[in-house]
Amino acid sequence: MGPVTAERRRLLRRAMRKAAGARPHPNPRVGALVMDSGGQLAGTGVHQGPGTPHAETLALDEAGPRARGGTLITTLEPCVHVGRTPPCVDRIIGSGVVTVVVGAEDPDQRVSGRSIALLEKAGLEVDGPLLTGEVEAADPAYFHHRRTGRPRFTLKAAATLDGWTAAGDGTSQWISGPAARRDGHLLRASADAVMVGAGTLRADDPRLTVRLECARTPQPLAVVVAGRAPLPSIRKVWDRSPLVVAPRPTEVVPPDLQVIAPGAEGLVDLAGAARALGERGLLEVLVEGGPRLAGAMWSVGLIDRGVFYMAARVAGGEGLPVMQGTFSTLSDSRDVIIEDVQRVGEDLRVEWRPREESA
């Protein structure tokens, strides 16, 4: 790797750091820099969400005439399609920059290499993609959504060391310690939506909000997955205008806040519901319970990632499991890749993902 490439990667990482705190979903997380012809920073931009200027446009606007003859650094391939804002490619070509450095190709089929080709056709030098893995790791849900059409689902659970999320009477507060609970709220803060099943709604009456000193605004959307039984009419979460996923229409929320996905045996078609959530622009969904919903989503391959908090506590008997279902033989289980283990307060935080099965 030569010095020019090394410097461009350094600048891409700088743009990524600027964009790290943005919450632009359903649009991608993008940061951009403009370096003038002398290599000095002339403009920066971070995309904040649908309907707002894209990072490249913000950086070019700030740079003004200094962009001419310079270099645009952008973490993601610029857009070429017309949405709520004009295509970035046209703005870049007209700006006078002579080089565009791209961190990753956009997986959106409306873009996916087309912008790079148009920039090169216009006579600009395009260098990249240079940091595909790092850019995807900085916004994994966006890449997952554009490739699959559905959100990335993360299963979050707190359990005793012997694997129980609640006692037989349903009590579960608090299995994990304060540090683990705070970390769990950070997970909520990073999600577009927090999902629970009807059983958890009845037992815990959760608000599904982020409760931190620096709580994000707006809060993640609350999603409730209904079963066969009618949902209770009085629950705290109804004040938050949640989205209800149900096998048939319900009266607890307005029709525009319902996803009707009838499945087998009077339950929700989870795969169909996942696609519907993706169409609503939800890219990152945190699944918080209960065991019936977690087991059902696992059984149909909808859990993409897990974050388990293993508490410094032993139940010493049977309670409620993380996932409800039948485990008849070892071959029913699936291998996972444990990606990270760290101590959080007195508890353990284990992050994992299913191992992709070989063809």
Side-chain angles (χ1 to χ4, degrees), residues 3-36:
V4 172
T5 299
E7 173 62 9
R8 288 174 175 176
R9 289 186 176 182
R10 185 188 70 80
L11 291 170
L12 279 168
R13 293 186 178 107
R14 180 175 177 180
M16 288 170 60
R17 288 194 296 272
K18 285 187 171 294
R23 302 188 184 280
H25 291 173
N27 288 1
R29 183 173 290 119
V30 182
L33 310 173
V34 173
M35 313 303 292
D36 66 19

Side-chain angles (χ1 to χ4, degrees), residues 4-5 8 12 56 70-79 88-89 92-93 97-106 111-132:
V4 172
T5 299
R8 288 174 175 176
L12 279 168
E56 301 93 329
T71 298
L72 171 69
I73 310 289
T74 179
T75 57
L76 191 70
E77 178 183 9
C79 69
C88 287
V89 166
I92 294 167
I93 292 172
V97 297
V98 295
T99 302
V100 178
V101 178
V102 175
E105 188 174 295
D106 193 335
V111 186
S112 195
R114 291 179 58 208
S115 295
I116 291 175
L118 287 172
L119 291 170
E120 290 176 335
K121 185 177 180 181
L124 280 70
E125 175 199 358
V126 179
D127 190 8
L130 294 181
L131 292 176
T132 297

Side-chain angles (χ1 to χ4, degrees), residues 199-222:
T200 296
L201 180 74
R202 293 187 181 92
D204 297 344
D205 192 14
R207 288 189 182 275
L208 303 180
T209 54
V210 177
R211 296 188 295 278
L212 295 171
E213 300 84 2
C214 54
R216 56 169 279 193
T217 302
Q219 290 275 349
L221 178 69

Side-chain angles (χ1 to χ4, degrees), residues 83-210:
R84 298 187 188 181
T85 56
C88 287
V89 166
D90 296 344
R91 178 74 172 84
I92 294 167
I93 292 172
S95 71
V97 297
V98 295
T99 302
V100 178
V101 178
V102 175
E105 188 174 295
D106 193 335
D108 192 314
Q109 292 303 306
R110 296 170 297 178
V111 186
S112 195
R114 291 179 58 208
S115 295
I116 291 175
L118 287 172
L119 291 170
E120 290 176 335
K121 185 177 180 181
L124 280 70
E125 175 199 358
V126 179
D127 190 8
L130 294 181
L131 292 176
T132 297
E134 292 181 36
V135 173
E136 180 167 354
D139 196 8
Y142 172 78
F143 282 78
H144 182 279
H145 177 270
R146 292 306 192 268
R147 289 170 181 154
T148 66
R150 66 169 180 81
R152 184 177 79 146
F153 291 102
T154 296
L155 176 62
K156 172 201 159 193
T160 63
L161 282 179
D162 46 347
W164 304 106
T165 61
D169 64 358
T171 55
S172 62
Q173 295 181 343
W174 299 100
I175 283 180
S176 57
R181 295 199 297 274
R182 177 179 171 79
D183 193 81
H185 277 279
L186 290 173
L187 263 183
R188 279 189 183 180
S190 68
D192 300 325
V194 180
M195 174 188 285
V196 296
T200 296
L201 180 74
R202 293 187 181 92
D204 297 344
D205 192 14
R207 288 189 182 275
L208 303 180
T209 54
V210 177

